Amino acid sequence: MAVRTVGVAVNGVTGRMGYRQHLVRSLLPLREHGLRLPDDTVLKVEPLLVGRNAGKLKEIAQRHDLPRWTTDLDAALADPDIDVYFDSQVTSRHVEAISAAIAAGKHVYTEKPVSETVEEALRLASLADAAGVRHGVVADKLYLPGIRKLRRLIDGGFFGRILSVRGEFGYWVFEGDWQAAQRPSWNYRAEDGGGIVADMFCHWSYLLEELFGSVEAVTARAVTHIPQRWDENGVAYDATADDAAYAIFELAGGVIAQVNSSWCVRVHRDELVEFQVDGTEGSAVAGLRECVVQPRAVTPRPVWNPDVPADADFRSQWQTVPDNDEFGNGFKVQWEEFLRHVYAGAPFPHDFRAGARGVQLAACGLRSSAEGRRVEVPRV
């Protein structure tokens, strides 16, 4: 059994997602246990922490017994021991850093959105292809246990003909005045690449496309419900980016998806994101981890009667889909798929062009909102 060490430059590791999901829950387990390839080679990941705050980088490195960190991205990309560059910075910094990584001959994996414009995303894809490097974009929602159970139902023909999808995502993000916000302040400034449309429509793009069909048209309304927030230092600022979006997506094949995305909603559902799928032969509701179903043959017969109290326990009329598998952390599972793509040639559909479709859907959603009309989404 051969062991191969793979150097990964992790840029943006001091941020919430870069640290929790990508370093702690993905790369550190791959550093400890490795990843076995089809030829029995075991890949061991060795992270190089990259960022702008030397103090934070040093503290994280010491906490996890990691020997290498730097504030010099150029030096990291010039290091011959680094094979893969990962970017978890704010969106506005992606293009410059990813372009440099491609020029240095590094394979690139990045958080979404890959860029702020479709043109930039497609240019990065062309640059990477010309340089012969692999490229990928995080598509973590597809790897959630609840969504994987939903895919199992689709693949098994449970729904018959799928009619519609209804999604609810979000939670109340504190304004930051009397309770600290759970999200970084840049998320609420358009000039820094913030906004829930730019953030979440990239997710809805790949999720809808892979499960139900590509998006052909969108009608959306993006709003800023909370016009003032307070940043990490307690300083008030104007929220210039949208914090909620209400959208109808028309999918190839005739499926209609309605998805509400909001950081201004208090949760009255089982999980922070849920999708209800209705088909001729049955329905399902999938969240982060759980999935329940109601087949056609056991669907109750509701009767509308507003004159008497409701006596039906609607939730009890659904059956739980069993795990039947060990799902693992979704971010780690996709890291493993990307590494297999790089080192074993395994397929990986979530490349920069797929990322460009997510950026495009966000752009079309914002255009629909601004112009108050349905916008067709051309395929890129």
Side-chain angles (χ1 to χ4, degrees):
M1 180 181 67
V3 176
R4 177 175 180 178
T5 300
V6 175
V8 178
V10 189
N11 197 356
V13 73
T14 58
R16 178 175 57 93
M17 295 297 291
Y19 176 71
R20 292 180 186 175
Q21 296 294 353
H22 292 287
L23 180 66
V24 174
R25 296 171 185 170
S26 301
L27 295 174
L28 292 185
L30 288 169
R31 181 182 189 237
E32 181 179 358
H33 303 294
L35 171 66
R36 188 181 295 273
L37 299 180
D39 65 357
D40 280 340
T41 299
V42 174
L43 296 181
K44 287 290 189 78
V45 170
E46 188 59 44
L48 166 60
L49 309 186
V50 183
R52 293 177 293 160
N53 189 314
K56 289 183 178 179
L57 289 172
K58 182 178 180 181
E59 191 277 327
I60 292 172
Q62 291 177 339
R63 185 190 313 163
H64 297 288
D65 193 27
L66 295 172
R68 306 186 67 200
W69 60 270
T70 183
T71 58
D72 188 339
L73 176 59
D74 290 337
L77 295 178
D79 188 334
D81 292 333
I82 296 299
D83 286 350
V84 176
Y85 171 74
F86 174 69
D87 199 313
S88 188
Q89 302 180 97
V90 297
T91 305
S92 58
R93 294 180 178 274
H94 282 183
V95 171
E96 181 179 1
I98 290 173
S99 297
I102 293 171
K106 311 301 182 185
H107 305 292
V108 181
Y109 186 44
T110 181
E111 265 290 351
K112 54 97 213 92
V114 61
S115 63
E116 294 183 287
T117 69
V118 178
E119 293 74 20
E120 289 172 329
L122 293 175
R123 183 178 67 82
L124 290 176
S126 296
L127 287 174
D129 288 345
V133 300
R134 308 281 191 173
H135 46 96
V137 180
V138 174
D140 58 286
K141 299 294 183 288
L142 284 170
Y143 297 83
L144 295 169
I147 300 302
R148 291 174 68 181
K149 295 174 188 177
L150 179 60
R151 186 195 285 272
R152 184 196 307 161
L153 294 171
I154 295 170
D155 292 344
F158 169 81
F159 295 101
R161 181 168 61 89
I162 294 177
L163 309 174
S164 64
V165 181
R166 188 172 72 251
E168 291 285 345
F169 164 81
Y171 48 94
W172 190 271
V173 176
F174 293 121
E175 296 90 329
D177 50 352
W178 65 287
Q179 292 195 63
Q182 311 97 296
R183 297 185 64 87
S185 58
W186 73 265
N187 286 166
Y188 304 93
R189 292 190 292 266
E191 58 271 25
D192 292 333
I196 201 164
V197 172
D199 188 0
M200 298 310 301
F201 277 37
C202 293
H203 286 298
W204 307 152
S205 174
Y206 66 71
L207 190 146
L208 293 172
E209 178 176 325
E210 291 226 2
L211 295 181
F212 310 106
S214 58
V215 180
E216 295 185 335
V218 58
T219 304
R221 183 75 175 100
V223 296
T224 305
H225 286 309
I226 307 295
Q228 186 180 51
R229 293 180 179 269
W230 284 257
D231 66 15
E232 292 78 4
N233 299 312
V235 177
Y237 67 95
D238 292 333
T240 54
D242 45 279
D243 54 23
Y246 311 92
I248 299 173
F249 302 108
E250 300 173 36
L251 310 184
V255 176
I256 302 297
Q258 306 171 70
V259 183
N260 294 330
S261 313
S262 178
W263 290 319
C264 306
V265 60
R266 293 178 177 89
V267 180
H268 186 60
R269 64 187 102 92
D270 292 333
E271 302 194 66
L272 296 185
V273 62
E274 288 185 346
F275 292 91
Q276 177 163 335
V277 181
D278 293 300
T280 55
E281 297 300 320
S283 298
V285 178
L288 292 167
R289 301 199 61 83
E290 301 302 324
C291 183
V292 295
V293 295
Q294 189 173 96
R296 177 186 183 190
V298 297
T299 299
R301 185 174 182 269
V303 177
W304 173 259
N305 187 350
D307 299 320
V308 297
D311 59 1
D313 181 0
F314 293 108
R315 291 182 183 274
S316 69
Q317 298 168 354
W318 295 70
Q319 301 169 276
T320 299
V321 177
D323 288 351
N324 288 353
D325 201 356
E326 293 290 335
F327 293 111
N329 178 274
F331 288 87
K332 177 175 177 286
V333 172
Q334 194 181 3
W335 262 106
E336 292 172 345
E337 287 195 2
F338 182 71
L339 292 174
R340 290 190 184 98
H341 173 60
V342 171
Y343 296 102
F348 190 81
H350 315 295
D351 61 8
F352 286 175
R353 288 182 176 80
R357 293 196 291 275
V359 176
Q360 180 189 50
L361 184 60
C364 289
L366 291 172
R367 180 180 167 192
S368 171
S369 180
E371 298 178 3
R373 67 180 182 88
R374 172 183 178 272
V375 171
E376 293 187 357
V377 182
R379 184 76 172 177
V380 297

